[in-house]
């Protein structure tokens, strides 16, 4: 009978049909697969066995012999040896492993001899061999201490031992680690990232589950594989997935049963009661749990549950941890069943402990829950600044009503902090009134007057009334010496950046960027102002047509904000909206969509007009890129309605202009024409002082709308005239991004007008787009661009052979191949232009030789000068020789 159980224990489990390929784990396997010992350690529900099954298949594909053994509490040392022998017999087919089992039988004194025999046989196989041991936490202590340790210390060179376990085993791995032969796979490696979660849900639900809901489920389950599977099972039975996702809770159904069966049923009653009472703490520490519950066992209980259960995660702050969101939801359901008096007392103890240690934001939350208004007011007054400056604006707004009126009357700084929060929280007019009261008071100290001006400027910036800011800040053309608070200093630079972006003075925005690397700013009170700084620098870079630098700017801060503050935090969302816009510009549609998923509602609460505008525009362009014009028009309708509700005419302008673009590109002439009067009626608004900085943007959007409408009417001449104005406006405003769109549309208009310049104009637009990393702008300009591009590519293919012969130097010179560019510095066309320049040919001769227009040659020369850091044709040739580029050696420039 025992032999039958051993056979079953050594039979590998079947791969689950819903398992997805996880490239990250496959890469991890490739990194560790040749180590002598690999420990996969994580609590239940993290998919250890699933990963081991997948890795087993990868080893088999590489030709290794792979065994499997599921361990249990009956595996004493001699039985452990028999299990290994049976596993090796199944994998290798060698009868010698059967003889080992017969020879050593069940004699516990001969366990190590039996293991020695197994290892000797493995060594004689002379083939890569892998022993996979699952459920290692069940192994008796003496087996782990003696038999498993012996196996590791005496493993032959062709053997790899893989151990899956819920808790780390005490094993002699120091020497293996020192030799680089030991690898450990932890919870962080096994946790599902967003891509994994979306792939798993897409495999189960297809497109029936929206991306927003996929992301919401991933965040709710925090990458916990079993949690995601249970959540998926819970919504699968619902006829309306989105509604089911919104209503999903760990207080009912399969999720509740899982926590009861896998957690509470296995815990002593006192520990379960302790868990229920600490569910209100987020984050929590051993000391806080002890103070809140009054239990002296807090430390050992937490330590044990950290090791045995998957419901705790360690935070960035040392000594602090969090309950998993689903587990906390489940336990809060139990907490709410406690008597009200006990719940109040638990909150009060937590508030007092936190307040004594100056954790005022968390203390205020518990004081409010305990209905201790005086303590809540005191903590709110002390904590409002840190909450607001770290980006928790929604919470900061909730606290303002709890600030005592007498405290506000006596504390100018607190009053201004509250006004700043209101400005950022969609109440700019209230904020401006408070700031004006302080500005009008002649007795106000200079530092508070300056802070009031910043608050007033913030209110106008959040209302998009940028034209009013210069008058507010006129007294401070430079940063005053008496301003020492780093938040105030950065806010001043941010204010200047807002005005500079609106005015098209983009170089000033670069000069004012003082934000450090995210890890360098340990003080969370700097998180929000630095994220605003990066946002406006990203806006400037996008307008300059440089999405690559935007990605470089935001990638690190975004990851840091998600890790430390959460994916839906204000700071993370500000970085995400700029990053998504940059990725879409670079045609990375899927990544851009994933970045915005389940964040739009957060971004719509922002009162950062440029962030709102970027979010809306990116969503519209994403919908259009996926061929969903209906969704695009729906987003545009929301955009215009939001702009009118917020009194932000720039949102209305962008929504109207993009609607005209969509209709005109579809040939809906009447629909586009009907929208033009509404767009033109906005002119007086942008001529007023509040919105005057946006007048050029308004005129540019109008010119582009009229040009698109002319193209839709097949009126190439009118389109060319409008685009000429648009090009001038884009240059004046430093809108290099819009200039790319204008150039692409000029090619379409030239084609309509029957001009031969259509293809050279498109070639220039494509060249600029490729150089800047924003080719998508060219393709989005108009559907006709794609047909023109195909013609251009066909023409280039025909001209390539001709260029080599027609562009020959004097007759006695043998034909030469186009210049090569080491490292890919120059494109083939640029290399050919460089060769002809080096041979002394004029622009006209080069254009004729390459069968391109004069403007195209000029553009290639401009790119050459930039890439070679040259100021003239001769300088470019000299620099090319110095850099090792291959050109005509006998050339005379």
């Amino acid at each position: 009978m025992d032999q039958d159980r051993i056979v079953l224990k050594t039979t590998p489990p079947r791969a689950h049909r819903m398992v997805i390929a996880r490239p990250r784990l496959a890469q991890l396997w490739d990194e560790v697969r040749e180590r002598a010992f690999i420990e996969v350690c994580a609590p239940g529900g993290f998919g250890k066995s699933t990963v081991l099954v997948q890795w087993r298949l990868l080893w088999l594909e590489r030709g290794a012999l792979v065994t499997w053994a599921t361990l249990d509490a009956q595996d004493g040392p001699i039985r452990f040896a028999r299990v290994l022998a049976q596993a090796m017999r199944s994998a290798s087919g060698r009868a010698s492993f059967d003889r080992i089992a017969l020879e050593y039988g069940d004699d516990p004194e001969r366990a190590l001899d039996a293991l020695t025999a197994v290892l000797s046989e493995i060594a004689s196989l002379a083939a890569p061999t892998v022993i996979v041991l699952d459920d290692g936490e069940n192994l008796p202590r003496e087996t782990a201490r003696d038999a498993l340790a012996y196996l590791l210390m005496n493993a032959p060179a062709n053997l790899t031992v893989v151990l899956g376990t819920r808790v780390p085993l005490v094993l002699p791995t120091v020497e293996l680690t020192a030799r680089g032969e030991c690898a450990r796979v932890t919870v962080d490696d096994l946790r599902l990232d967003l891509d994994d979660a979306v792939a798993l849900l897409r495999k189960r639900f297809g497109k029936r589950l929206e991306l927003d809901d996929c992301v919401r489920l991933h965040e709710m389950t925090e990458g916990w594989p079993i949690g995601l599977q249970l959540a998926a099972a819970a919504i699968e039975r619902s006829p309306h997935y989105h509604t089911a996702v919104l209503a999903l809770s760990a207080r009912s159904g399969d999720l509740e049963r899982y926590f009861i069966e896998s957690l509470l049923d296995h815990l002593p009653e006192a520990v379960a009661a302790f868990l229920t009472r600490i569910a209100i703490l987020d984050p929590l520490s051993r000391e806080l749990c002890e103070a809140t519950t009054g239990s002296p066992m807090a430390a050992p209980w937490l330590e044990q549950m950290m090791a045995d259960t998957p419901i705790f995660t360690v935070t960035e702050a040392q000594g602090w941890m969090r309950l998993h969101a689903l587990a906390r939801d489940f336990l809060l359901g139990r907490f709410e069943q406690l008597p009200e008096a006990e719940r109040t007392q638990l909150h009060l103890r937590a508030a007092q402990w936190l307040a004594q240690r100056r954790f005022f934001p968390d203390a205020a939350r518990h004081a409010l829950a305990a209905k201790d208004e005086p303590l809540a007011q005191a903590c709110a007054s002390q904590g409002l600044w840190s909450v607001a400056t770290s980006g928790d604006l929604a919470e900061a707004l909730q606290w303002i009503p709890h600030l005592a009126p007498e405290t506000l009357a006596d504390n100018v700084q607190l009053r201004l902090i509250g006004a700043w929060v209101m400005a950022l929280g969609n109440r700019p007019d209230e904020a401006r009134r408070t700031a004006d009261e302080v500005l009008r008071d002649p007795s106000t100290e200079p530092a508070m007057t300056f802070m009031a001006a910043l608050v007033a400027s913030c209110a106008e910036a959040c209302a998009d009334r940028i034209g009013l800011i210069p008058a507010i800040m006129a007294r401070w053309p430079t940063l005053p010496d008496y301003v020492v608070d780093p938040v105030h200093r950065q806010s001043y630079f941010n204010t200047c950046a807002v005005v500079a972006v609106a005015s098209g003075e983009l170089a000033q925005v670069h000069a004012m960027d003082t934000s450090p690397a995210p890890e360098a700013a340990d003080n969370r009170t700097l998180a929000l102002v630095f994220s605003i700084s990066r946002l406006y620098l990203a806006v400037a870079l996008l307008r300059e047509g440089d999405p690559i630098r935007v990605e470089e700017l935001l990638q690190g801060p975004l990851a840091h904000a998600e890790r430390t503050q959460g994916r839906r935090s204000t700071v993370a969302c500000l970085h995400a909206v700029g990053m998504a816009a940059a990725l879409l510009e670079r045609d990375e549609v899927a990544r851009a969509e994933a970045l915005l998923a389940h964040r739009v509602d957060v971004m719509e609460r922002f009162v950062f007009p440029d962030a709102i505008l970027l979010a809306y525009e990116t969503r519209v362009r994403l919908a259009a890129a996926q061929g969903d014009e209906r969704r695009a028009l729906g987003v545009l309708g929301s955009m215009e309605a939001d702009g009118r509700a917020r009194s932000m005419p720039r949102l209305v302008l962008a929504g109207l202009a993009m609607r005209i673009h969509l209709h005109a590109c579809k040939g809906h002439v009447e629909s586009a024409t009907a929208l033009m009067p509404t767009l033109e009626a906005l002119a007086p608004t942008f001529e007023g002082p509040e919105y005057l900085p946006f007048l050029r943007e308004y005129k540019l959007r109008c010119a582009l709308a009229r040009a698109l409408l002319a193209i839709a009417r097949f009126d190439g001449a009118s389109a060319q005239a409008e685009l000429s104005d648009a090009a001038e406006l884009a240059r004046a405003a430093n809108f290099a991004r819009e200039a790319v769109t204008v150039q692409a549309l000029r090619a379409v208009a030239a084609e309509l007008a029957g001009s031969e310049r259509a293809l050279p104009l498109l070639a220039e637009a494509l060249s600029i787009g490729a150089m800047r990393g924003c080719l998508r702008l060219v393709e989005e300009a108009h559907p006709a661009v794609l047909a023109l591009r195909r013609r251009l590519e066909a023409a280039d293919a025909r001209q390539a052979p001709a260029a080599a012969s027609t562009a020959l130097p004097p007759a006695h010179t043998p034909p030469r191949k186009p210049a090569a560019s080491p490292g890919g510095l120059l494109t083939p066309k640029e290399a050919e232009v460089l060769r002809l320049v080096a041979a002394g040919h004029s622009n006209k001769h080069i254009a004729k030789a390459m069968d391109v227009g004069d403007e195209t040659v000029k553009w290639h020369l401009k790119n050459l000068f930039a890439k070679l850091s040259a100021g003239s044709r001769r300088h470019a040739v000299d620099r090319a020789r110095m850099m090792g580029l291959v050109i005509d050696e006998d050339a005379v420039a």
Side-chain angles (χ1 to χ4, degrees):
M1 184 66 71
D2 193 49
Q3 181 60 28
D4 293 337
R5 291 195 186 97
I6 289 176
V7 170
L8 289 175
K9 284 161 56 67
T10 56
T11 302
R14 181 184 301 172
H16 195 276
R17 68 180 181 88
M18 293 306 298
V19 169
I20 58 167
R22 297 175 64 184
R24 183 166 49 87
L25 291 182
Q27 182 181 349
L28 179 59
W29 170 82
D30 199 44
E31 294 171 0
V32 304
R33 62 188 175 88
E34 294 182 352
R35 309 286 178 90
F37 177 54
I38 303 169
E39 182 183 62
V40 182
C41 182
F46 274 93
K48 293 182 302 300
S49 298
T50 300
V51 170
L52 294 179
V53 168
Q54 290 178 297
W55 283 9
R56 171 180 174 272
L57 296 176
L58 290 175
W59 265 302
L60 288 171
E61 289 173 4
R62 294 293 183 97
L65 287 172
V66 188
T67 70
W68 183 280
T70 302
L71 304 176
D72 59 48
Q74 306 303 313
D75 290 326
I78 188 61
R79 190 172 189 247
F80 177 73
R82 289 179 59 199
V83 166
L84 294 186
Q86 175 60 45
M88 287 304 307
R89 173 69 171 87
S90 300
S92 67
R94 293 183 65 163
S96 53
F97 288 104
D98 287 335
R99 289 195 295 272
I100 293 172
L102 291 172
E103 182 178 348
Y104 294 98
D106 293 325
D107 185 354
E109 299 297 326
R110 307 191 67 189
L112 297 186
D113 294 335
L115 277 175
T116 301
V118 170
L119 291 172
S120 176
E121 286 294 330
I122 291 173
S124 70
L125 291 172
T129 304
V130 180
I131 294 177
V132 180
L133 305 173
D134 198 17
D135 293 348
E137 70 279 359
N138 295 328
L139 207 60
R141 183 174 299 177
E142 67 273 14
T143 307
R145 185 191 61 224
D146 300 331
L148 181 55
Y150 184 84
L151 176 71
L152 296 178
M153 296 305 295
N154 295 278
N158 63 323
L159 176 62
T160 294
V161 178
V162 186
L163 175 68
T165 177
R166 292 190 175 195
V167 296
L169 303 186
V170 179
L171 297 168
T173 58
V174 175
E175 186 177 339
L176 290 173
T177 303
R179 297 203 309 262
E181 291 293 332
C182 181
R184 287 183 170 82
V185 179
T186 66
V187 166
D188 290 337
D189 299 306
L190 298 177
R191 195 183 302 278
L192 297 170
D193 63 17
L194 181 57
D195 291 339
D196 294 333
V198 171
L200 189 148
L201 292 168
R202 285 280 190 250
K203 186 170 184 178
R204 188 160 186 162
F205 297 99
K207 292 288 186 179
R208 293 170 295 162
L209 191 65
E210 295 289 338
L211 180 60
D212 270 17
D213 290 327
C214 292
V215 175
R216 187 178 282 111
L217 286 173
H218 173 256
E219 291 174 359
M220 186 184 299
T221 57
E222 298 180 6
W224 186 27
I226 189 65
L228 188 67
Q229 294 280 13
L230 289 169
I235 68 170
E236 197 168 30
R237 294 187 291 272
S238 172
H240 305 292
Y241 291 154
H242 178 68
T243 303
V245 171
L246 294 178
L248 190 65
S249 171
R251 305 183 190 189
S252 61
D254 291 339
L255 286 167
E256 182 185 41
R257 282 192 294 276
Y258 176 83
F259 282 114
I260 290 173
E261 293 170 5
S262 68
L263 183 65
L264 293 191
D265 285 353
H266 296 278
L267 291 175
E269 185 176 343
V271 179
F274 169 77
L275 265 182
T276 299
R277 284 154 180 79
I278 65 170
I280 58 173
L281 306 176
D282 184 36
L284 55 88
S285 70
R286 293 169 175 82
E287 296 80 4
L288 175 56
C289 290
E290 185 174 330
T292 302
T293 64
S295 172
M297 294 298 292
W301 283 345
L302 283 173
E303 186 174 347
Q304 185 63 39
M305 283 184 289
M306 279 284 289
D308 295 347
T309 72
I311 66 172
F312 286 97
T313 56
V314 177
T315 68
E316 293 278 317
Q318 188 174 4
W320 291 81
M321 63 195 82
R322 290 185 186 277
L323 276 166
H324 188 286
L326 286 176
R328 187 164 185 261
D329 180 39
F330 166 75
L331 292 168
L332 281 173
R334 298 291 189 270
F335 176 84
E336 289 166 7
Q337 297 172 17
L338 297 175
E340 182 180 0
E342 184 180 2
R343 297 200 308 270
T344 299
Q345 187 62 28
L346 288 165
H347 277 298
L348 186 59
R349 287 177 188 164
Q352 291 169 343
W353 188 92
L354 289 162
Q356 289 169 5
R357 286 151 185 82
R358 305 187 65 80
F359 295 116
F360 294 116
D362 293 324
R365 284 191 287 270
H366 287 290
L368 288 172
K371 300 183 177 62
D372 189 331
E373 195 65 29
L375 181 57
Q377 289 179 356
C379 292
S381 300
Q382 294 282 347
L384 184 62
W385 177 246
S386 62
V387 169
T389 53
S390 66
D392 295 332
L393 300 177
E395 183 171 356
L397 278 170
Q398 292 176 358
W399 287 6
I400 290 176
H402 295 280
L403 299 175
E406 58 274 16
T407 303
L408 287 173
D410 297 337
N411 191 328
V412 174
Q413 184 174 11
L414 184 60
R415 200 157 74 244
L416 288 174
I417 293 170
W420 185 59
V421 171
M422 287 189 288
L424 298 172
N426 204 17
R427 293 159 64 181
D429 294 334
E430 294 175 65
R432 180 67 197 263
R433 284 195 294 271
T434 300
D436 284 345
E437 289 173 7
V438 177
L439 286 169
R440 287 194 297 266
D441 187 347
S443 65
T444 305
E445 296 179 357
M448 288 298 100
T449 302
F450 179 78
M451 184 178 178
L454 289 178
V455 171
S457 298
C458 178
E460 300 303 352
C462 290
D464 217 21
R465 300 186 291 247
I466 307 302
L468 303 181
I469 294 177
I472 297 170
M473 301 301 297
R475 279 188 275 177
W476 300 277
T478 59
L479 183 67
D481 293 336
Y482 55 76
V483 178
V484 295
D485 187 296
V487 176
H488 294 167
R489 294 176 68 86
Q490 188 58 45
S491 295
Y492 176 82
F493 293 126
N494 290 350
T495 302
C496 296
V498 169
V499 175
V501 165
S503 305
E505 303 295 336
L506 304 183
Q508 292 185 22
V509 185
H510 294 278
M512 286 181 285
D513 176 39
T514 59
S515 56
E519 293 80 4
D522 292 332
N523 189 348
R524 279 192 65 173
T525 59
L526 296 172
L528 183 59
V529 289
F530 281 143
S531 68
I532 296 170
S533 172
R534 294 188 190 97
L535 169 70
Y536 280 96
L537 180 56
V539 170
L541 289 167
L542 286 169
R543 289 192 172 178
E544 291 171 341
D546 197 348
I548 295 173
R549 282 189 60 195
V550 174
E551 186 176 1
E552 292 170 352
L553 171 74
L554 297 178
Q555 194 162 21
L558 172 60
H560 184 265
E562 288 183 336
R563 187 174 67 251
T564 58
Q565 294 185 250
R567 188 179 183 276
R568 284 169 56 83
S569 65
T570 302
V571 172
C573 288
L574 279 174
H575 290 138
V577 69
M579 185 85 158
L583 290 174
L584 180 59
E585 216 86 309
R586 300 184 62 198
D587 208 22
E588 297 193 39
V589 175
R591 285 183 65 196
E593 186 181 30
L595 271 176
L596 289 183
H598 194 34
R599 276 177 164 142
V600 171
D601 61 314
V602 178
M603 285 181 277
E604 286 174 347
R605 293 198 297 268
F606 288 160
V607 192
F608 300 105
D610 285 284
I612 298 170
L613 187 58
L614 269 183
Y616 272 122
E617 288 186 334
T618 305
R619 289 173 62 201
V620 172
R621 293 173 63 200
L622 281 169
Q626 295 163 344
D628 193 346
E629 283 84 7
R630 182 190 59 81
R631 180 160 57 97
L633 288 170
V635 175
L636 286 171
S638 300
M639 184 180 184
E640 293 172 49
D642 197 12
R644 292 188 174 91
R646 294 173 185 263
S647 298
M648 288 184 184
R650 200 156 51 119
L651 286 181
V652 179
L653 165 65
L656 283 167
M658 294 183 82
R659 270 211 287 165
I660 291 170
H661 183 231
L662 276 175
H663 283 304
C665 286
K666 285 290 183 181
H668 304 158
V669 176
E670 290 187 8
S671 297
T673 302
L675 291 169
M676 282 303 300
T678 309
L679 181 65
E680 290 166 345
L682 291 173
T685 300
F686 290 99
E687 291 166 354
E690 301 100 319
Y691 308 108
L692 191 60
F694 304 120
L695 182 59
R696 280 185 300 198
E697 180 182 344
Y698 168 74
K699 290 181 177 179
L700 176 58
R701 286 189 184 268
C702 285
L704 284 170
R706 286 191 291 266
L708 284 161
L709 193 51
I711 290 171
R713 291 170 175 157
F714 302 100
D715 185 353
S718 296
Q720 285 178 316
E722 293 291 350
L723 289 168
S724 178
D725 292 343
E728 184 56 40
L729 287 165
R731 277 194 293 271
N734 289 322
F735 285 2
R737 178 181 179 276
E738 282 72 12
V740 175
T741 300
V742 170
Q743 186 72 6
L745 288 174
R746 287 178 69 195
V748 176
E751 176 72 6
L752 279 177
S755 170
E756 294 181 355
R757 298 180 63 234
L759 292 185
L761 285 169
L762 182 61
E764 182 172 338
L766 290 169
S767 178
I768 297 171
M771 182 178 68
R772 295 185 176 278
C774 53
L775 267 175
R776 180 162 199 89
L777 283 175
V778 181
E779 297 171 358
E780 283 183 347
H782 196 277
V785 166
L786 295 176
L788 272 176
R789 184 173 184 175
R790 285 193 290 270
R791 279 182 51 201
L792 178 64
E793 290 168 350
D796 281 347
R798 289 194 302 271
Q799 293 162 7
S805 58
T806 58
L808 289 177
H812 66 275
T813 308
R816 299 180 185 272
K817 293 181 181 179
S821 173
L825 176 64
L826 307 182
T827 66
K829 294 268 187 190
E830 289 166 353
E832 180 66 0
V833 170
L834 175 63
R835 185 181 72 80
L836 294 170
V837 167
H841 295 293
S842 66
N843 285 5
K844 186 170 290 187
H845 189 147
I846 295 171
K848 185 176 180 181
M850 298 180 65
D851 197 15
V852 296
D854 290 348
E855 287 187 14
T856 302
V857 174
K858 290 177 183 177
W859 178 249
H860 285 314
L861 282 172
K862 182 180 177 182
N863 290 345
L864 281 170
F865 290 172
K867 290 183 177 182
L868 299 174
S869 301
S872 67
R873 296 160 75 93
R874 173 176 283 280
H875 191 194
V877 172
D878 292 341
R879 289 277 299 160
R881 287 198 176 112
M882 183 183 72
M883 295 169 69
L885 300 180
V886 181
I887 59 174
D888 286 347
E889 295 180 2
D890 56 349
V892 178

